[in-house]
Amino acid sequence: MMPSNAWPLLLVAAFALALVMWLLLRAQNSPSLPTNVAGVRVEVTAPLVVEDRVLEQLWEVPIVLTNTTRRPRTVPVLAQRAEVRTKHARYTAEVMTDVSWEGEHQTRLELNPAGTAIGSVWVVLPAGEAPVRLRLQELHPKQRHFLARLTAS
């Protein structure tokens, strides 16, 4: 039998358990890059300054998708928009690829074993700002976000 003054301790324990469960679910839906998605490794490389203007800089963050299995795998579909964070603000970026990862009639690009597909995230930042975090969104086969810490070269 519990003493009558133990209910605050029980309430704090229940709140702590709920907080831990929420953090675990959030971490599961936002994996860090590099990660594997159905046999395809998704990773980003160091951001590069492509064009240096007086007041702003054009940055490129390459995305590399590699089939790590022995069978052909479809490439996960990423949203056309991404979010890039600097030390002071958040910016909207554009995800672009040389070859379309999604074709007509809902067909997706397939990678052969050890095959690679490359895309890029493009963002314009004020001069002196460097990207430190990238957030990509996967649309298919599962909706979730990928987070990556970036280190400028």
Side-chain angles (χ1 to χ4, degrees):
M1 182 146 194
M2 281 181 43
S4 61
N5 59 357
W7 68 269
L9 184 60
L10 190 61
L11 184 64
V12 169
F15 179 75
L17 181 65
L19 180 65
V20 167
M21 293 297 292
W22 178 76
L23 288 172
L24 286 174
L25 284 174
R26 186 172 176 202
Q28 184 179 6
N29 286 329
S30 295
S32 297
L33 292 178
T35 188
N36 281 324
V37 178
V40 176
R41 183 170 175 81
V42 180
E43 56 189 327
V44 295
T45 61
L48 307 166
V49 176
V50 176
E51 192 174 326
D52 194 358
R53 303 174 192 147
V54 175
L55 297 176
E56 60 190 16
Q57 294 175 325
L58 177 62
W59 287 83
E60 176 189 14
V61 182
I63 306 169
V64 181
L65 291 90
T66 307
N67 183 355
T68 58
T69 66
R70 293 192 212 166
R71 295 185 178 164
R73 298 288 181 195
T74 56
V75 172
V77 177
L78 300 176
Q80 292 179 344
R81 298 277 180 206
E83 180 182 281
V84 173
R85 293 183 190 179
T86 64
K87 291 183 179 177
H88 303 292
R90 297 177 184 186
Y91 297 90
T92 301
E94 188 172 348
V95 178
M96 299 180 72
T97 58
D98 293 337
V99 179
S100 177
W101 292 353
E102 190 172 23
E104 297 178 17
H105 311 295
Q106 301 295 330
T107 59
R108 291 187 291 152
L109 176 66
E110 281 192 354
L111 292 177
N112 287 323
T116 301
I118 297 176
S120 297
V121 176
W122 296 87
V123 63
V124 176
L125 299 176
E129 292 282 333
V132 293
R133 297 198 111 207
L134 172 67
R135 182 176 181 184
L136 296 170
Q137 181 179 4
E138 178 188 12
L139 299 176
H140 192 72
K142 182 179 178 182
Q143 283 198 348
R144 59 182 162 183
H145 296 276
F146 300 120
L147 301 174
R149 284 199 168 108
L150 304 172
T151 54
S153 56

